[in-house]
Amino acid sequence: MIPTVDETHDPALRSWVRSANDGRTDFPIQNLPFGVFRHQGGGERAHVGIAIGSMILDVSAAMRLGYFTGDSAAAARACGAQCLNDLMELGRPAWRALRLAVSALLREGSSAERDADRMLVPMEDADLLLPARVGDYTDFYASIHHATNVGSMFRPDNPLLPNYKWVPIGYHGRSSSLLPSGSEVRRPSGQRKAPDAQAPVFGPSRSLDYECEVGAFIGTGTTLGEALGIRDAAEQLFGLCLVNDWSARDIQSWEYQPLGPFLAKNFATTLSPWVVTMEALAPFRVHAAERAEGDPAPLPYLRDDEDAERGGVDLAVEVWLRTRTMRERGAAPVRLSRARFADMYWTLAQLVAHHASNGCNLRPGDLLASGTISGPERDSRGCMLELTWRGAEPVKLPDGETRSFLEDGDELILRGECVRDGFARIGFGECRGRILPAPAA
Ligand code: CA
């Protein structure tokens, strides 16, 4: 079942945390995303928190004050861990009970306001960490617009391979190099070979790129050897974050055949800190993207009426760039693109069902990323490879600089928001990273 709208989505709800009511914050009381934070200068221990306006609710602190009893107690106790995996493992009834309890606790009129100082931490006084211990990370390729654009650069006669409309394409990524937002990213070195060169050379990548993606965290997990029906796939989804799959295009184009991406993509992947739950996203579920006339219907194991009806997520994702020069001049970041996650060819439930269809087990905290999110328009292309058409049409920035790919000192920021008439706007916060030069040889 895909979660449905309930009292926690009422747009009239307001919080006694005043910054949650300003109409601009990504984190009004209707959102309540989970993350993991550490007090700046407050020792090594990490805490599970919930974003509310410009503050973080420390769930364990609220628990100690006696605010979680009954159905929500088990979920609140699981938030005593230093990551979200224990909470993810509990499943949807527990997640829902905790959301209801937190919504009531933070509502205007709740007596909990008297304990504000004992359970709230200003976000600016906290370091935001990776939300989960990610055992396995898989990256898909679910935007047909991205796949067609990239394919037409590398294979002009044959942009979309014949399997694309039948099977969700993906590869196993690397969890060791997942980074929290704000981390610096070192330009990778690797092998690259110009088309007319006799042999490859080794050195710093000259075509470093970003990929704007959405990541889905797995909840309770599945059993090795047992497939998961598409009807049950939505139950596995805990929540979503933003993902920047940094990519070295020159390394990629030389190494990717025949086994797919390897060192071009496993040097860094940045995640946004707040996990927006599938409960919070209930008002923004939409029809799965319509397939073009003549496209095959999904095979039965990937087909479900509810998923076709409500399997899409109406989430807009944006890419912003701030170069070193812009930063030195105090200029604000500039937006490079905006795309709709609902345009993806495969739904999240289809990605989960396909991943488990051979008996491969998914575990709590596993991360499934969508692949670059691009739409049909030029300003909805979710990576620089597409935006500049492999460097042939450089992006012109307002201060006169141009970019074919990322340069040292560039800062890339992903943002996401869900907007629908009759509901409160919710946002994803930021996924941010800055490029450091390659180490001297
Ligand atoms: Ca990717």
Side-chain angles (χ1 to χ4, degrees), residues 139-140 171 211 213 245 265 371-372:
D139 194 15
F140 284 94
Y171 68 95
E211 290 192 332
E213 308 192 11
D245 175 27
K265 285 172 175 282
T372 306

Side-chain angles (χ1 to χ4, degrees), residues 137 139-141 146 171 210-213 243-247 249 261 265 369-372:
Y137 157 49
D139 194 15
F140 284 94
Y141 197 51
H146 173 67
Y171 68 95
Y210 58 88
E211 290 192 332
C212 176
E213 308 192 11
V243 174
N244 183 345
D245 175 27
W246 303 96
S247 300
R249 300 303 184 188
K265 285 172 175 282
S370 62
T372 306

